[in-house]
């Protein structure tokens, strides 16, 4: 599978891959057959890029969450598919208080607002904070009350309590049927729902396990890795959690651990989770070694994607074309995605800087880029 380094204007209907890495961002433009890819980049070389997202409402606006050496944490915006970028006039920042308060280390997650709310975006930060922009990402303000609510601050813990590179607010979801219906997740701090446009949030953690020896009734000990809402059935959510893979069918508030049906020698610990856009029973995960030391590598150095087509009752290993051994990398929570083509294309980026794809829903994999910096996020989009 060829990769052409020459930049050119993307064509409508083609797939665009947005790759965020520890040292910059790359855009990969696919041809209609997804057989060849043109690399455009690096953008922001040397800066930490956590997420790059295309606005599906106009098909041309890009936002990039960056942590720069001289500007600090910020957001860049492009209205021409990455040909030019401007820094946000007011990036996400916590309110200033007398004792100094918290400061944003980096913006981790970006989510476009509802289809009927042009220019609205949401951002999740590290440490955990929720922010909103109403002008397409130019200016940002704290959103909802959770950033400073005493109960939520207790659940968030301290900067020492989250993931190795800092606690995070992520998986911001807008119900496509109702702009006022929102979900978010915090690592740590659980999964939360708002039905009043962010005026209030409430936890949804029933049925979820926590690390042995800790109290599951304490929301602070809940660590969701990635939460996704089914595009074809917004009443169904899936979750890749620190303690397994779960499914939730609303209006129930009880999560069901479907990861127990994974092969025992592999387990159901991992970070990313991808859902089929047209089939609510189909999902893909990328397990990692979940033994006691959590090495954050593929089990036994043999990476594989696992798919379910019956809502988690059974799982199938999909590793054709992937390394058969000695591949000691894994995939981060934002670094696996799917396009909306038929058959669907799957994509993931690795901690060792490889970009992989499948044009047949995971039956066969091919590497389309190597030697990139550590990949933090991959998004598939269709430019206008």
């Amino acid at each position: 599978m060829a990769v052409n380094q020459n930049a050119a204007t993307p064509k409508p209907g083609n797939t665009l891959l947005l790759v965020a890495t520890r040292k910059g961002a790359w855009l990969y433009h696919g041809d209609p057959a997804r057989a060849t890819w043109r690399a455009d980049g690096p953008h922001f070389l040397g800066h930490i890029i956590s997420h790059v997202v295309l606005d599906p409402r106009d098909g041309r606006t890009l936002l990039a969450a960056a942590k720069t050496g001289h500007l600090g944490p910020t957001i860049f915006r492009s209205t021409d598919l990455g040909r030019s970028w401007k820094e946000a006039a007011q990036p996400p920042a916590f309110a200033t208080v007398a004792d100094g308060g918290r400061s944003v280390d980096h913006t981790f997650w970006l989510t476009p607002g509802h289809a009927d709310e042009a220019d609205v975006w949401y951002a999740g930060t590290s440490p955990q904070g929720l922010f909103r922009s109403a002008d397409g990402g130019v200016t940002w303000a704290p959103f909802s009350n959770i950033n400073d609510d005493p109960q939520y601050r207790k659940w968030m813990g301290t900067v020492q309590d989250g993931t190795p590179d800092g606690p995070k607010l992520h998986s911001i979801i807008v119900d496509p049927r109702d702009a006022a219906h929102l979900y978010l997740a915090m690592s740590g701090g659980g999964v939360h729902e708002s039905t009043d446009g962010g005026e209030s949030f409430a936890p949804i953690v029933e049925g979820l396990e926590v690390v042995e020896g800790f109290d599951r009734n304490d929301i602070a000990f809940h660590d969701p890795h990635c939460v996704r809402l089914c595009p074809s059935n917004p009443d169904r959510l899936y979750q890749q959690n620190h303690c397994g893979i779960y499914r939730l069918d609303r209006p129930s508030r009880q999560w069901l651990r479907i990861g127990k049906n994974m092969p025992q020698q592999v387990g159901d610990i991992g970070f990313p989770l991808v859902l089929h856009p047209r089939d609510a029973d189909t999902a893909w995960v990328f397990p990692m070694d979940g033994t006691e030391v959590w090495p954050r590598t593929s089990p036994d150095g043999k990476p594989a994607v696992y798919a379910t087509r019956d809502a988690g009752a059974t799982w199938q290993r999909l590793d054709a074309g992937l390394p058969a051994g000695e591949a000691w990398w894994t995939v981060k929570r934002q670094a696996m995605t799917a396009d909306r083509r038929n058959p669907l294309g799957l994509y993931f980026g690795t901690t060792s800087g490889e970009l992989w794809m499948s044009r047949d829903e995971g039956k066969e994999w091919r590497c389309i880029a190597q030697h990139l910096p550590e990949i933090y996020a991959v998004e598939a989009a269709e430019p206008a």
Side-chain angles (χ1 to χ4, degrees):
M1 184 168 294
V3 174
N4 188 333
Q5 293 289 336
N6 296 323
T9 302
K11 297 179 180 179
N14 290 0
T15 301
L16 174 65
L17 298 181
L18 311 171
V19 182
T21 83
R22 191 174 181 273
K23 294 290 184 178
W26 279 258
L27 313 182
Y28 286 86
H29 301 274
D31 67 5
R34 297 171 295 185
T36 61
W37 296 85
R38 289 183 289 102
D40 174 10
H43 300 258
F44 317 111
L45 182 61
H47 297 318
I48 296 173
I49 308 298
S50 295
H51 208 188
V52 183
V53 180
L54 175 70
D55 191 337
R57 296 163 295 192
D58 67 14
R60 64 178 182 275
T61 298
L62 294 170
L63 293 192
K67 182 179 180 181
T68 71
H70 55 289
L71 296 176
T74 191
I75 290 177
F76 290 100
R77 182 174 183 263
S78 172
T79 58
D80 53 15
L81 285 169
R83 296 183 191 88
S84 61
W85 297 86
K86 290 185 178 179
E87 186 192 359
Q90 185 177 327
F94 293 113
T96 302
V97 294
D99 63 356
R102 297 186 298 165
S103 61
V104 171
D105 180 81
H106 61 278
T107 296
F108 179 72
W109 192 282
L110 296 166
T111 293
H114 192 273
D116 293 336
E117 293 184 325
D119 294 328
V120 170
W121 284 79
Y122 297 94
T125 64
S126 175
Q128 301 99 315
L130 179 61
F131 297 84
R132 184 179 186 268
S133 171
D135 55 14
V138 178
T139 61
W140 297 81
F143 181 66
S144 183
N145 66 341
I146 68 170
N147 292 0
D148 299 306
D149 178 86
Q151 180 63 76
Y152 270 84
R153 288 291 301 275
K154 181 179 179 181
W155 289 337
M156 292 173 186
T158 71
V159 293
Q160 310 295 326
D161 297 328
T163 57
D165 52 349
K168 306 178 187 306
L169 190 147
H170 59 86
S171 301
I172 305 168
I173 297 168
V174 182
D175 189 329
R177 304 163 299 184
D178 180 3
H181 188 199
L182 308 171
Y183 295 95
L184 60 82
M186 299 191 301
S187 297
V191 181
H192 302 264
E193 177 187 29
S194 173
T195 58
D196 55 14
E199 290 294 323
S200 62
F201 278 88
I204 307 179
V205 299
E206 292 88 335
L208 297 175
E209 300 176 36
V210 297
V211 174
E212 185 177 358
F214 292 88
D215 181 6
R216 71 168 66 189
N217 294 314
D218 188 337
I219 309 296
F221 296 135
H222 285 269
D223 187 0
H225 287 172
C226 184
V227 181
R228 302 289 189 184
L229 179 143
C230 289
S232 61
N233 177 11
D235 286 325
R236 172 171 286 178
L237 295 94
Y238 289 84
Q239 178 181 170
Q240 176 70 76
N241 188 279
H242 188 97
C243 296
I245 306 167
Y246 294 83
R247 191 187 79 233
L248 175 66
D249 290 300
R250 309 307 311 274
S252 173
R253 303 181 69 85
Q254 187 81 14
W255 292 88
L256 173 67
R257 187 171 181 180
I258 57 175
K260 288 195 178 286
N261 299 321
M262 287 277 288
Q264 187 174 3
Q265 70 273 20
V266 174
D268 61 342
I269 303 303
F271 282 93
L273 173 67
V274 174
L275 306 184
H276 198 289
R278 296 176 294 276
D279 181 0
D281 289 342
T282 296
W284 296 268
V285 295
F286 197 99
M288 72 172 189
D289 188 331
T291 55
E292 291 183 3
V293 296
W294 269 52
R296 288 175 167 78
T297 63
S298 300
D300 297 322
K302 300 175 181 178
V305 171
Y306 279 78
T308 180
R309 297 190 180 276
D310 50 19
T314 61
W315 296 87
Q316 176 188 8
R317 183 180 178 94
L318 302 173
D319 61 359
L322 295 176
E326 299 300 317
W328 303 104
W329 41 256
T330 192
V331 177
K332 296 200 166 184
R333 78 186 78 200
Q334 293 164 287
M336 187 173 175
T337 189
D339 62 32
R340 299 182 64 88
R341 308 281 290 278
N342 191 12
L344 173 147
L346 288 169
Y347 311 87
F348 67 80
T350 74
T351 51
S352 63
E354 297 174 355
L355 182 62
W356 290 82
M357 77 154 295
S358 168
R359 288 185 292 177
D360 52 15
E361 305 195 355
K363 294 178 183 177
E364 184 175 357
W365 295 92
R366 296 182 182 181
C367 185
I368 60 175
Q370 301 179 73
H371 312 308
L372 294 172
E374 180 180 3
I375 296 175
Y376 284 173
V378 180
E379 295 284 351
E382 292 186 4

